[in-house]
Amino acid sequence: GDSVTQTEGLVTLTEGLPVMLNCTYQTIYSNPFLFWYVQHLNESPRLLLKSFTDNKRTEHQGFHATLHKSSSSFHLQKSSAQLSDSALYYCALSNYQLIWGSGTKLIIKP
Amino acid sequence: EAAVTQSPRNKVAVTGGKVTLSCNQTNNHNNMYWYRQDTGHGLRLIHYSYGAGSTEKGDIPDGYKASRPSQENFSLILELATPSQTSVYFCASGDEAGAGSDYTFGSGTRLLVI
């Protein structure tokens, strides 16, 4: 069945360094949507960005991701981490509903 | 503003008691979902619904029932609550995910079963 893999359960970075959170997926669909959600402490998940188009960079709130169908990847990146980026990040894949990865907890230290 | 509202925000229940978690959405979305979130397990789908009168089992439905009496309302029912059901529960609404619709989540319900 369809699945999403986030290999890092926890990523700890120093403020100002670049962020990269990995997401790979498996699906039978040729044109899936891929999503990144962010969940700050004691809040609910909210959409960060989504993409459908192969090899097109999608950006929102300083984060960006590019869907690469050739490698089934949708990694989340940011050039310079901020303390406020500390949160839980979920990658998700669409079929008839969202299939969620296990999440990556990002901790940014001063 | 369109929203998903959950009640209660916090709940303490006794083992063996009945618990009902409520969710209301004003997004006019067809689909609604109930998830639980536990450390180390991410978001796990319990039940979902495609519209009024429909409920479907998700990945972990045992011990839970769901009810969708209207487009706006979707309830999660624990007939006989157990301590293992202590968790944070999120309701979400959305349209067809395959068409790119994202989910809107409620604020969550923290359930403690003692």
Side-chain angles (χ1 to χ4, degrees):
Chain A
D2 292 2
S3 65
V4 176
T5 301
Q6 295 180 249
T7 53
E8 310 107 341
L10 173 65
V11 173
T12 304
L13 292 170
T14 301
E15 186 179 17
L17 292 181
V19 177
M20 181 165 172
L21 306 183
N22 291 317
C23 173
T24 57
Y25 64 91
Q26 287 187 309
T27 181
I28 62 172
Y29 293 95
S30 57
N31 295 303
F33 274 88
L34 271 294
F35 303 77
W36 276 101
Y37 282 75
V38 58
Q39 183 180 19
H40 288 95
L41 188 63
N42 296 324
E43 296 183 3
S44 57
R46 63 173 176 81
L47 179 68
L48 180 58
L49 50 80
K50 66 182 180 183
S51 182
F52 170 80
T53 307
D54 197 14
N55 297 317
K56 181 180 178 181
R57 176 171 162 145
T58 300
E59 299 190 39
H60 188 62
Q61 296 184 334
F63 287 90
H64 63 92
T66 302
L67 176 59
H68 292 294
K69 292 185 180 180
S70 61
S71 57
S72 298
S73 67
F74 191 56
H75 306 318
L76 184 67
Q77 299 182 68
K78 188 177 185 184
S79 59
S80 176
Q82 298 177 285
L83 295 175
S84 58
D85 295 331
S86 294
L88 181 59
Y89 291 81
Y90 287 105
C91 184
L93 162 74
S94 67
N95 52 28
Y96 61 94
Q97 59 182 246
L98 288 183
I99 307 300
W100 297 89
S102 55
T104 297
K105 185 174 184 179
L106 177 64
I107 297 175
I108 308 299
K109 295 184 174 181
Chain B
E1 181 178 318
V4 178
T5 304
Q6 291 183 234
S7 62
R9 288 298 306 274
N10 296 282
K11 173 76 176 178
V12 179
V14 295
T15 297
K18 182 177 180 178
V19 177
T20 300
L21 307 183
S22 299
C23 179
N24 175 275
Q25 58 112 349
T26 58
N27 302 320
N28 198 31
H29 287 150
N30 290 324
N31 304 334
M32 296 185 74
Y33 307 86
W34 276 107
Y35 292 91
R36 64 178 284 176
Q37 184 178 43
D38 305 284
T39 302
H41 289 279
L43 292 166
R44 291 187 289 174
L45 182 64
I46 306 170
H47 283 286
Y48 59 101
S49 168
Y50 290 127
S54 96
T55 61
E56 306 289 339
K57 294 181 179 179
D59 300 321
I60 54 163
D62 293 346
Y64 303 92
K65 290 173 57 178
S67 173
R68 182 89 181 269
S70 65
Q71 177 83 341
E72 296 79 18
N73 295 295
F74 190 37
S75 298
L76 186 68
I77 303 149
L78 291 66
E79 295 278 5
L80 295 170
T82 68
S84 65
Q85 293 175 313
T86 292
S87 187
V88 179
Y89 292 85
F90 286 101
C91 176
S93 74
D95 279 326
E96 177 59 48
S101 174
D102 56 275
Y103 291 1
T104 302
F105 284 83
S107 299
T109 295
R110 290 185 177 273
L111 174 64
L112 172 64
V113 183
I114 58 175

